[in-house]
Amino acid sequence: MKHIIVIGNGMVGYKFCEKLEAKGGLNSYNVTVFGEEARPAYDRVHLSEYFSGKSAEDLGLCNPNWYGDVGIRLKTSELVTEVDTEKKTILSHKGKQYNYDYLIMATGSIPFVPPIKGVEKKGVFVYRTIEDLDAIKDYGEKLKKGKCREAAVMGGGLLGLEAAKAVKDLGLNAHIIEFASRLMPRQLDDGASKTLQKKIESLDIGVYLDRKTEFISGEESIEGLKFQDDTALDCSMLVISAGIRPRDELARKAGVIVGDRGGIVVNDKMETSAPGVYAIGEVAIYNERIYGLVAPGYEMAEVVVNQLTGEDKRMPPEIDMSTQLKLIGTEVASFGEPFIEDEDTTPIVYENKQKGVYKRINISSDGQKLLGGILVGDSSDYSSLHQVYINGLRLPEDPETLIIGSVGGDGGVILDSVLELPDSARVCSCENVTKGRICDSLTDGSCCNLSDVVAATKATSGCGGCKPMVKDLVNETLKSMGQEVKEVVCEHFEYNRQEIYDLIKVHKIVSFEEAILRFGKGHGCEVCKPALASIFASIYNETANKQVSIQDSNDRFLANIQRNGSYSVVPRVPAGEITPDKLIEMGRIAKKYDLYTKVTGGQRIDMFGAKLEELPLIWKELIDAGFESGHAYGKALRTVKSCVGSTWCRYGMDESVSFAIELENRYKGIRSPHKIKGGVSGCIRECAEARCKDFGVIAVEGGWNLYIGGNGGANPKHAQLLAEQIDNETCIKYIDRFLMFYIQTAAPLTRTSKWLEKVEGGIDYVRQVVVENRLGIAEDLEKEMQGLINSYECEWKQAIEDPEMMKRFKHFVNSDDTDDNIVFVPMRDQKMPRPWK
Amino acid sequence: MQDLLNEYQTIGVDKVKVWVKAGTVDDFPTNGGACIKYKKKQIAVFNFTTMSRWYACQNLCPHKMEMVISRGMIGDKDQIPKVACPLHKKTFSLENGTNMEGEDYKLATYPVRIADGAVFVGFSE
Ligand code: SRM
Ligand SMILES: Cc1cc2nc3c(=O)[nH]c(=O)nc-3n(C[C@H](O)[C@H](O)[C@H](O)COP(=O)(O)OP(=O)(O)OC[C@H]3O[C@@H](n4cnc5c(N)ncnc54)[C@H](O)[C@@H]3O)c2cc1C
Ligand code: SF4
Ligand code: FES
């Protein structure tokens, strides 16, 4: 077998091994990897997370046993000191010599340290390896005990900003020193830099632009920086982040051709000037540039793996250098050509100083193409703009709508259909799956639905952000193939939710088993079971205690599961109104069970960190103190938010608290396709944010205005006006009808806003049904709602009164022990779950 | 963390040295799971009533290393019995513990035997 030697076990060196293994390359090659660092490859991109709780082990790119398991010889702490490209041998610092057939140089780069007087002083660091961070941390700890806690970071680029934030998180006062006249000079223009600077300064990080450091003062250790303009900064630490230099020393010594300013020169196969020698990652200079990002490095690794396994994949001529800044506490992104300015380009700039938002896009002067851009303060449009840029999509007639939103519309880039994306569009960037691959897998017959596509392409299995787009693509493609895409609940039921609802009601089915036997197939799953549980609840108002094993896990234990498997407890506090006595009781109980408490976004109090077996004990005490379940765990009514209204407020037009309490108590316990939230505001100042709720009521001259279909969350939507100037009774009547209509007809896990979007005819149609009674079902809807309201029962009360039900709340069947895997750590006078690794 | 994961290794029926009594059949919910403790191990035991089968696997979800699998919902995908973790709904085959979305995570599984209304789980030590 031929022998491959990889020099460098960094991110790209590792990726090469991973890809070679995945392609079956280890059947034809022996591989030996040399790494100078003491540990196997780790995630340098997320290095700063080492300061926020991640261990070196957590940052590891794979299980350390992986190399051995797949048969790769990994030699850590072993520096390669010489390469002989004629004899095809390498020599390590241990004096051992090895032969290779192919050599992969993946030696990365080192931080550039400018030749400034005093850089050798104690307290001056670079920021690249775990060891660097350890040293910074130790020194920082010492500084915190002394007088001067000032720390400077030299370099206001991507990395410098990240380092400054890290230094600040260590408890030091951070200052960024930048040579150029703006921050992130390679990615941002002046306007963007100014916006970013403001934001950074508001985080208490100093920013000094146009500063050329003359020398570093201090005896043995650094005490300050002296700049050429005669200004100075006292500081006891300096982290240098002034760029990188490729580690090409080995290649240089071996006579392999390197670039004028360093870097091993490669062609589009990643071949160097020496036969059998490849260079990849930050050490490689391709198209006369080095690429300080991992994605191009990964692509280079893939090219070499392909070359070695008999395929001829080449590096593309253009490499995308779009970047998003992470961590600093503000959003920054730049893509394509961020600041070209010539006659072929028209920049469009939007700036909102008050909000700290700066956006710029560069359009070709014919208005056809997006050439690049910058987003500071709000980068929510980054992915769609990036898709438009990278795929060269045609622009809308008014390109400015791309960043400022079209008049009256949603704004942003709107494709008429996802099928308009070119085949090469990378839809899932985690797994690198293109639109073409998704569509082909359907048209060639190898996949017939979404789950097939996910299994075949691995799309959506990374961060999951592309799920909606993949789903749309699958549906649109199937439609274009003439297949009717029926929205079925899952593989077990060939019906949509509304059909199942009707079947269960008409046939008076009372259990999941019966339903699946008669109308479905198989044994059910985590999709159809909760969907049917919700339907049973809506028809018979049975609580989650009835058919326990078809309830979603949270409903099954009547509490929200938290990060570490403990639970939260949220008693109902209708409309947010609570007496001092009840507050005291809640405080007493939280203290007794050592629970973390927080006021929620829904105007009530959440108590976190209860162990499963503690839940009934806590609830017993809460119920004794007059509380009820808040259904925070259920797809059910959550809260009806209120403002004080005319009771106290000088502008109040009506008693919003009283009405909110009435509404919350009316609909409490009612299960629905998704959670339901309400709000009641005492006047149009709208302090209860009623128009962000599924139903919102606002007091106006002459009665209440009723709005429906509002939503916060990921896709905020304002609720739409259903009826104006109505009295309390009418308002309740309409909400009854509307909610019941929604409960009967919506797809599973569809909030009212999404439902309203899909209802043909939209709000006008819903008004006809709810207000004008066009379908003649208004009375039935009211009756059904009243039935649900009349049969309300607090399910926690039910549970604690029944010893059989209580068995559910034990961690072990065969032991009274508690889960010893649950560990809490202290946080701001309270506690929290131990961080995830 | 890795050490914790290594505690759990799939045991085939042929490797069983001890059958540990986990409780009575009634201690376990129908079509659902509950957790048992054996030495330091936490094992999720499922009573898959509609399939007339019992399954056992580690209670530790390999995704985020929390002891929660027994609280997951069970069901089938193309007739293969599976459990969905309550935290992020990753699903695992109850037959061999593999992740059904094709990811690297895996659950160790253990044999279950029912005798005289009692439930026994098999261990190699
Ligand atoms: C505790 C709380 C955050 C806080 O600390 O304040 C919270 C916590 C959670 N929210 Fe929320 N949301 C909380 C108020 C909100 C609000 C604000 C509000 O209600 O006014 C919103 C935006 C309004 C809205 O829903 O339209 C909100 C929008 C969401 C969403 C997005 C829903 C959407 O339609 O896009 C989710 C995800 C989901 O439901 O699918 C979510 C899901 C969650 C979950 C259930 C996530 C999960 O599965 O673990 C969190 C668990 C809570 C727990 O364990 O108790 N939470 N969540 C708030 C509890 C309010 C309460 O008293 O019940
Ligand atoms: C703090 C930080 C944040 C970053 N953030 C991002 C980001 O958000 N996005 C992004 O795309 N990129 C980011 N990067 C850049 C990214 O980490 C690099 O592009 C990537 O690590 C390059 O991989 P590489 O394998 O080429 O080099 P490296 O990961 O540096 O690996 C090279 C390895 O080779 C070893 N080596 C060198 N010479 C020898 C020798 N002679 N013998 C043996 N071993 C040798 C080195 O010790 C090193 O371990 C960040 C970098 C840092 C430091
Ligand atoms: S916003 Fe996200 S992280 Fe915060 S509580 Fe809601 S779901 Fe959890
Ligand atoms: S912890 Fe189980 S799926 Fe995330």
Side-chain angles (χ1 to χ4, degrees):
Chain A
M1 278 219 270
K2 296 221 159 153
H3 187 208
I4 297 176
I5 290 184
V6 182
I7 310 180
N9 185 225
M11 296 192 75
V12 175
Y14 163 73
K15 195 47 115 189
F16 170 81
C17 297
E18 183 200 285
K19 289 192 183 262
L20 188 69
E21 194 272 336
K23 267 219 135 191
L26 297 179
N27 298 328
S28 22
Y29 295 103
N30 285 320
V31 178
T32 311
V33 181
F34 292 87
E36 177 197 11
E37 293 187 70
R39 53 191 111 241
Y42 53 89
D43 186 352
R44 218 180 290 289
V45 169
H46 293 104
L47 189 63
S48 296
E49 290 176 21
Y50 189 60
F51 281 160
S52 52
K54 283 220 169 158
S55 67
E57 190 186 300
D58 298 334
L59 288 173
L61 288 177
C62 65
N63 182 330
N65 298 332
W66 177 82
Y67 299 91
D69 291 348
V70 300
I72 292 177
R73 271 186 297 171
L74 171 64
K75 297 180 178 291
T76 48
S77 302
E78 195 159 347
L79 179 75
V80 176
T81 51
E82 261 174 66
V83 172
D84 187 330
T85 57
E86 305 254 300
K87 295 209 192 89
K88 296 201 161 186
T89 58
I90 63 127
L91 190 69
S92 89
H93 81 290
K94 294 189 175 160
K96 290 196 198 148
Q97 186 174 315
Y98 301 83
N99 298 316
Y100 67 79
D101 296 291
Y102 295 101
L103 183 68
I104 318 292
M105 294 195 152
T107 48
S109 51
I110 43 163
F112 168 62
V113 178
I116 297 172
K117 223 174 95 202
V119 283
E120 72 296 336
K121 288 194 201 311
K122 262 200 216 151
V124 179
F125 301 95
V126 294
Y127 198 82
R128 174 115 193 145
T129 64
I130 289 184
E131 284 69 23
D132 293 339
L133 267 65
D134 276 334
I136 293 175
K137 212 182 205 168
D138 289 349
Y139 203 79
E141 285 306 320
K142 275 191 225 134
L143 289 191
K144 279 200 316 212
K145 296 189 190 107
K147 311 196 281 295
C148 177
R149 287 170 164 232
E150 310 306 308
V153 172
M154 187 181 290
L158 271 170
L159 257 179
L161 293 177
E162 197 176 313
K165 173 77 171 18
V167 165
K168 180 170 185 297
D169 288 346
L170 283 181
L172 304 173
N173 302 324
H175 307 270
I176 297 169
I177 317 294
E178 170 58 49
F179 182 85
S181 58
R182 53 177 196 262
L183 289 168
M184 296 177 64
R186 284 156 183 257
Q187 289 91 5
L188 303 185
D189 61 10
D190 279 334
S193 163
K194 286 209 179 88
T195 309
L196 178 59
Q197 179 175 355
K198 269 227 182 97
K199 180 71 201 183
I200 290 178
E201 285 169 343
S202 76
L203 300 170
D204 276 333
I205 298 179
V207 177
Y208 306 80
L209 301 174
D210 279 321
R211 292 296 200 291
K212 302 175 182 56
T213 309
E214 197 173 350
F215 62 86
I216 297 168
S217 58
E219 298 280 310
E220 249 178 54
S221 319
I222 170 172
E223 285 167 20
L225 298 177
K226 177 77 189 336
F227 305 115
Q228 278 178 12
D229 61 2
D230 269 349
T231 57
L233 175 78
D234 287 341
C235 60
S236 336
M237 189 200 279
L238 173 67
V239 178
I240 297 183
S241 172
I244 50 172
R245 289 291 174 270
R247 286 189 70 173
D248 58 8
E249 66 271 7
L250 267 182
R252 207 178 271 271
K253 232 168 54 184
V256 178
I257 294 180
V258 295
D260 292 343
R261 283 184 295 149
I264 306 174
V265 176
V266 293
N267 61 14
D268 62 358
K269 299 180 183 174
M270 305 320 286
E271 290 167 338
T272 67
S273 64
V277 179
Y278 295 86
I280 55 178
E282 277 186 354
V283 75
I285 162 160
Y286 169 66
N287 266 350
E288 294 171 19
R289 292 196 57 163
I290 55 166
Y291 303 90
L293 295 175
V294 283
Y298 282 4
E299 198 157 1
M300 294 174 180
E302 176 152 353
V303 167
V304 179
V305 165
N306 273 274
Q307 294 291 337
L308 292 175
T309 50
E311 281 172 38
D312 192 22
K313 184 181 154 84
R314 308 279 179 108
M315 217 38 203
E318 296 272 339
I319 289 178
D320 181 28
M321 293 290 282
S322 306
T323 32
Q324 256 182 309
L325 177 65
K326 45 188 201 297
L327 290 173
I328 192 89
T330 183
E331 299 180 8
V332 181
S334 93
F335 57 95
E337 298 271 6
F339 36 66
I340 24 168
E341 228 157 294
D342 53 35
E343 61 259 38
D344 299 330
T345 323
T346 320
I348 300 176
V349 176
Y350 164 83
E351 189 173 6
N352 182 332
K353 288 217 166 100
Q354 194 204 350
K355 289 195 178 146
V357 174
Y358 179 95
K359 300 180 180 185
R360 165 178 177 157
I361 46 175
N362 303 316
I363 310 284
S364 61
S365 50
D366 58 8
Q368 295 287 318
K369 274 211 162 125
L370 180 59
L371 302 171
I374 302 172
L375 304 167
V376 176
D378 170 15
S379 62
S380 51
D381 290 333
Y382 173 72
S383 356
S384 52
L385 286 172
H386 188 234
Q387 281 286 338
V388 171
Y389 156 72
I390 203 102
N391 296 306
L393 300 188
R394 207 167 37 84
L395 298 184
E397 220 164 283
D398 304 315
E400 65 264 26
T401 56
L402 293 177
I403 48 174
I404 54 180
S406 58
V407 190
D410 285 332
V413 182
I414 306 153
L415 297 164
D416 282 340
S417 153
V418 278
L419 293 182
E420 277 175 25
L421 281 175
D423 282 349
S424 61
R426 195 184 284 195
V427 174
C428 170
S429 37
C430 298
E431 293 292 335
N432 196 1
V433 184
T434 60
K435 175 216 166 194
R437 214 161 128 228
I438 292 171
C439 298
D440 290 350
S441 71
L442 293 160
T443 44
D444 69 13
S446 59
C447 296
C448 349
N449 55 35
L450 181 64
S451 55
D452 288 356
V453 171
V454 170
T457 64
K458 291 191 96 180
T460 74
S461 57
C463 72
C466 59
K467 257 186 205 152
M469 190 171 243
V470 173
K471 193 170 165 206
D472 281 355
L473 268 175
V474 170
N475 285 348
E476 293 292 317
T477 310
L478 289 176
K479 258 192 217 154
S480 74
M481 291 162 66
Q483 294 186 17
E484 193 203 343
V485 190
K486 183 162 177 191
E487 280 214 19
V488 300
V489 165
C490 68
E491 68 173 69
H492 302 103
F493 289 91
E494 288 287 315
Y495 297 101
N496 66 24
R497 182 177 177 279
Q498 190 180 348
E499 290 165 336
I500 300 179
Y501 190 105
D502 293 339
L503 285 169
I504 288 180
K505 198 166 156 188
V506 171
H507 295 276
K508 303 200 169 58
I509 309 288
V510 295
S511 74
F512 179 83
E513 278 84 39
E514 197 184 343
I516 196 164
L517 261 176
R518 290 192 55 180
F519 312 117
K521 59 169 196 269
H523 304 272
C525 67
E526 72 281 2
V527 177
C528 59
K529 285 180 174 181
L532 266 74
S534 158
I535 292 174
F536 285 117
S538 298
I539 297 176
Y540 308 116
N541 208 17
E542 64 183 45
T543 66
N545 293 321
K546 178 96 184 289
Q547 299 187 59
V548 173
S549 70
I550 62 166
Q551 305 296 331
D552 225 335
S553 177
N554 281 350
D555 293 78
R556 177 169 165 201
F557 298 105
L558 307 176
N560 291 61
I561 194 163
Q562 302 298 321
R563 222 152 43 72
N564 60 352
S566 70
Y567 286 88
S568 71
V569 172
V570 192
R572 187 165 297 289
V573 177
E577 185 186 84
I578 185 165
T579 61
D581 280 340
K582 277 193 157 175
L583 272 176
I584 290 169
E585 273 303 285
M586 213 187 261
R588 181 189 63 76
I589 295 166
K591 217 161 162 180
K592 176 165 171 191
Y593 293 95
D594 189 19
L595 304 173
Y596 166 93
T597 53
K598 177 181 179 299
V599 174
T600 71
Q603 291 189 335
R604 46 191 187 173
I605 296 163
D606 201 342
M607 309 192 264
F608 295 84
K611 294 190 176 170
L612 185 61
E613 63 277 9
E614 290 175 331
L615 284 174
L617 307 176
I618 294 169
W619 272 106
K620 168 95 183 42
E621 296 203 28
L622 283 169
I623 286 167
D624 287 345
F627 287 100
E628 293 181 313
S629 168
H631 298 95
Y633 44 81
K635 302 295 175 232
L637 179 83
R638 294 287 169 86
T639 62
V640 178
K641 194 170 166 176
S642 75
C643 70
V644 281
S646 60
T647 326
W648 293 92
C649 177
R650 61 194 160 131
Y651 294 116
M653 315 269 302
D654 209 331
E655 284 204 39
S656 42
V657 183
S658 312
F659 199 28
I661 294 176
E662 184 180 355
L663 291 174
E664 181 157 343
N665 282 329
R666 182 170 182 83
Y667 302 118
K668 68 187 175 192
I670 287 173
R671 292 296 208 277
S672 52
H674 206 312
K675 58 193 174 199
I676 324 174
K677 299 179 178 182
V680 183
S681 279
C683 81
I684 40 113
R685 285 172 193 74
E686 244 285 73
C687 299
E689 299 172 311
R691 287 195 64 200
C692 306
K693 304 289 182 254
D694 298 274
F695 61 88
V697 181
I698 300 175
V700 292
E701 199 61 60
W704 303 99
N705 280 2
L706 172 59
Y707 299 82
I708 58 165
N711 207 163
N715 293 302
K717 269 267 145 56
H718 269 144
Q720 302 182 44
L721 185 68
L722 184 75
E724 272 177 294
Q725 295 171 307
I726 49 180
D727 60 12
N728 294 36
E729 215 176 290
T730 316
C731 193
I732 288 177
K733 192 163 74 182
Y734 290 167
I735 301 177
D736 278 4
R737 295 176 183 175
F738 152 65
L739 286 180
M740 208 59 222
F741 187 42
Y742 158 73
I743 287 172
Q744 294 180 353
T745 57
L749 299 182
T750 307
R751 287 289 288 270
T752 57
S753 64
K754 269 268 154 61
W755 168 81
L756 191 54
E757 250 170 49
K758 290 221 167 129
V759 169
E760 230 164 289
I763 182 78
D764 292 331
Y765 176 73
V766 174
R767 190 177 300 111
Q768 286 170 0
V769 176
V770 168
V771 178
E772 295 154 23
N773 193 14
R774 178 172 144 187
L775 300 182
I777 56 172
E779 211 177 307
D780 290 342
L781 293 174
E782 277 173 53
K783 242 198 238 142
E784 278 168 63
M785 180 55 91
Q786 197 56 48
L788 295 183
I789 294 164
N790 293 345
S791 54
Y792 166 79
E793 234 185 302
C794 170
E795 52 200 3
W796 260 115
K797 189 152 184 286
Q798 251 180 2
I800 57 172
E801 284 171 354
D802 181 339
E804 208 29 51
M805 288 188 198
M806 292 288 279
K807 269 170 77 178
R808 214 185 308 161
F809 303 95
K810 263 187 88 182
H811 188 76
F812 295 112
V813 165
N814 61 345
S815 155
D816 288 329
D817 290 353
T818 70
D819 177 5
D820 57 6
N821 192 48
I822 293 187
V823 179
F824 291 101
V825 295
M827 195 228 4
R828 288 191 295 275
D829 300 334
Q830 299 201 61
K831 66 175 184 184
M832 62 176 264
R834 157 192 71 185
W836 270 337
K837 302 290 171 176
Chain B
M1 279 294 129
Q2 193 58 40
D3 294 348
L4 187 55
L5 206 52
N6 289 342
E7 289 279 305
Y8 297 94
Q9 302 291 345
T10 293
I11 306 293
V13 184
D14 51 325
K15 294 273 155 44
V16 173
K17 295 231 176 71
V18 274
W19 286 99
V20 175
K21 183 171 170 198
T24 65
V25 168
D26 297 337
D27 287 337
F28 296 86
T30 54
N31 288 312
C35 180
I36 64 154
K37 190 171 191 176
Y38 173 58
K39 293 187 179 164
K40 299 223 75 167
K41 290 192 179 64
Q42 297 197 17
I43 304 293
V45 178
F46 296 96
N47 177 5
F48 208 136
T49 329
T50 54
M51 281 197 174
S52 309
R53 301 286 293 271
W54 287 74
Y55 296 97
C57 62
Q58 69 192 54
N59 195 33
L60 180 72
C61 180
H63 176 219
K64 290 290 180 186
M65 304 293 172
E66 302 295 355
M67 293 289 184
V68 290
I69 293 292
S70 62
R71 298 179 213 159
M73 188 175 280
I74 58 172
D76 77 301
K77 179 175 197 259
D78 302 329
Q79 307 293 329
I80 301 170
K82 64 170 185 176
V83 57
C85 173
L87 280 175
H88 308 98
K89 299 267 157 75
K90 294 200 181 288
T91 57
F92 302 90
S93 155
L94 286 170
E95 263 161 10
N96 59 22
T98 50
N99 174 274
M100 312 271 283
E101 285 91 32
E103 292 169 32
D104 271 348
Y105 312 113
K106 203 172 171 11
L107 297 177
T109 58
Y110 298 81
V112 188
R113 184 189 266 173
I114 307 295
D116 292 335
V119 182
F120 296 88
V121 179
F123 294 91
S124 64
E125 40 171 3

